[in-house]
Amino acid sequence: MSVPESLRLRREVSPVELFYDLVFVFAVSQLSHHLLEHLTWRGAAETAVLLVAVFGTWVYTSYVATLLDIHRDVTRWMVIIVMGLGLFMNSAISRAFEERAWAFVAALLLILFFICAVTAVAGRTDTLREHFRRTLIWISVSAPLWIVGAAVGSGPRLWWWAAAALIDLIGTWLAHPLPGRALSSQELPFDADHMIERLRLFFIIILGETVLTMGNAMANAPVDAPSVLAAMGAFTALVCLWAVYFGGAEDAFTTAVATTTDPLRTVRMGTNGAYAVLAALVALAVGSELAIAHPLGHGSLALAFLLFGAPALYLAATAWFFRTTAHGAWTERLLACAACLVAGIAAIWLPPLASLAVLDIILIATATVLSRVHESLTRSLQATPKT
């Protein structure tokens, strides 16, 4: 059984949506800076909490813009207002666990409540309006935790905000169910192609911010052979991660959406995995900056975690996604993930330049293998009846 044509919409990505995404170039930069300045386990946890909150606002806004139709005046104004609030929120990221906690939380909660309230009123179907009324209830549960976290000292703040971020994340993953009430996504008109393009463009923005981070590191590093080789190694790793998706995975993803009776669920799985992808690219950007700055320095657990843990997380997240949606191209990713973890152990004692060389070998091989696997998977999906 296929999705009725009335539920399959087709709209181009609007310039206002691209304009909105520019705010998140700044956000990713701030997250990378926070992790670099607080390179400890607590600093990593703080960055993860901030990432969930920040990316959550992008997810809410992008889905609502897709569901409400970005060409409606109410939707465009909503996106512009959220963009302004998001700029204030993102400007507070680097000091959110210090003196700017209230600035971060106030903007965050205004964004979430505003988006859901607009959709609960302006949604064109009862199903959509009812879903966002449930979403408002979920946000109302996490909001007091965000507020208490802002009110207490920086020490306990992490625990309060981690609990709030976990509730928001679970709500997003489960589509905000309540007892006896859950999202029936097969009945909801949804422009899957539009949201796929939104995810695609956001991914490019994240990669672009990683390139900027590497460029800044290169500008501050001496122009000598080790630094140049480290920069080339970091860039090669980034290109390989780009190729892992744009080397055919994009076609497989699009085909998987087109061959399912529930495209909204499939796209939701992609969005859920994007949290881990964003975290991986932020960590890789920081690891690359450290490696370029000190290519012949001593290895460390932190650098090994950043350089190899980040690609491992990226590959594991995309393996989960392809396993649950396209039912292929996931074994190869898990094998590459395992290779990264093993190499990461050795990288604790290797100089950064050598670690980058090992990482490049793993990722080049992975991208090469997956390019063929994705082609085969796409052909297989195209020949499969809709499920």
Side-chain angles (χ1 to χ4, degrees):
M1 178 181 178
S2 63
V3 177
E5 261 327 291
S6 61
L7 299 186
R8 287 191 178 276
L9 311 174
R10 297 290 187 275
R11 301 187 186 100
E12 296 294 328
V13 174
S14 167
V16 73
E17 292 175 285
L18 299 178
F19 189 35
Y20 167 75
D21 285 352
L22 294 178
V23 172
F24 289 88
V25 176
F26 178 50
V28 175
S29 174
Q30 290 290 89
L31 289 168
S32 299
H33 178 73
H34 183 83
L35 180 58
L36 182 63
E37 291 295 314
H38 304 84
L39 204 54
T40 62
W41 290 114
R42 180 183 174 87
E46 290 177 355
T47 304
V49 167
L50 295 170
L51 183 147
V52 168
V54 169
F55 185 55
T57 64
W58 184 90
V59 170
Y60 277 94
T61 307
S62 297
Y63 269 104
V64 167
T66 301
L67 290 164
L68 289 185
D69 182 0
I70 190 60
H71 299 296
R72 294 175 65 186
D73 287 341
V74 65
T75 311
R76 287 198 298 269
W77 277 110
M78 181 204 69
V79 171
I80 291 171
I81 291 170
V82 170
M83 181 180 177
L85 292 170
L87 185 60
F88 281 101
M89 178 184 70
N90 296 338
S91 68
I93 287 175
S94 62
R95 295 290 180 268
F97 282 91
E98 297 171 16
E99 74 277 5
R100 293 194 177 181
W102 283 110
F104 180 82
V105 164
L108 171 66
L109 294 181
L110 281 172
I111 289 171
L112 296 179
F113 278 109
F114 175 65
I115 291 172
C116 292
V118 168
T119 314
V121 173
R124 286 178 164 171
T125 67
D126 291 339
T127 300
L128 182 59
R129 290 191 295 271
E130 201 272 337
H131 169 68
F132 277 91
R133 286 195 289 269
R134 294 198 312 273
T135 304
L136 278 170
I137 294 173
W138 274 79
I139 295 173
S140 297
V141 172
S142 66
L145 301 177
W146 287 112
I147 293 170
V148 172
V152 300
S154 59
R157 180 173 301 152
L158 174 60
W159 300 105
W160 287 99
W161 282 5
L166 182 60
I167 292 172
D168 289 342
L169 186 61
I170 292 173
T172 300
W173 272 60
L174 300 180
H176 303 99
L178 291 176
R181 299 157 61 190
L183 176 66
S184 180
S185 53
Q186 287 182 308
E187 301 174 2
L188 194 64
F190 182 65
D191 188 351
D193 292 337
H194 182 95
M195 194 61 199
I196 290 172
E197 183 66 8
R198 297 290 291 116
L199 285 167
R200 177 178 179 270
L201 293 173
F202 188 76
F203 182 46
I204 291 174
I205 284 175
I206 300 170
L207 290 171
E209 171 53 34
T210 308
V211 170
L212 289 176
T213 300
M214 292 180 183
N216 288 332
M218 292 167 61
N220 294 324
V223 183
D224 54 24
S227 296
V228 171
L229 289 173
M232 291 174 60
F235 180 71
T236 299
L238 185 62
V239 169
C240 288
L241 292 181
W242 170 86
V244 164
Y245 180 73
F246 290 98
E250 182 182 25
D251 295 333
F253 178 27
T254 304
T255 305
V257 172
T259 55
T260 180
T261 58
D262 194 352
L264 176 53
R265 178 189 177 277
T266 303
V267 176
R268 278 184 50 238
M269 295 300 101
T271 306
N272 292 344
Y275 281 90
V277 169
L278 175 57
L281 291 175
V282 167
L284 181 64
V286 174
S288 298
E289 185 170 355
L290 293 173
I292 293 170
H294 307 285
L296 299 180
H298 296 291
S300 66
L301 178 60
L303 186 59
F305 180 81
L306 293 170
L307 287 182
F308 290 91
L313 176 61
Y314 178 96
L315 292 165
T318 53
W320 166 82
F321 168 71
F322 272 85
R323 175 67 181 84
T324 56
T325 58
H327 309 294
W330 61 276
T331 305
E332 296 80 5
R333 283 177 162 83
L334 287 184
L335 290 173
C337 175
C340 286
L341 294 176
V342 171
I345 296 173
I348 297 174
W349 297 278
L350 293 175
L353 186 58
S355 293
L356 283 171
V358 174
L359 179 62
D360 286 346
I361 292 171
I362 295 172
L363 294 182
I364 289 171
T366 301
T368 302
V369 170
L370 284 176
S371 66
R372 300 190 181 95
V373 172
H374 291 149
E375 290 179 4
S376 176
L377 178 61
T378 301
R379 289 195 297 270
S380 175
L381 289 170
Q382 290 171 340
T384 302
K386 293 184 178 183
T387 56

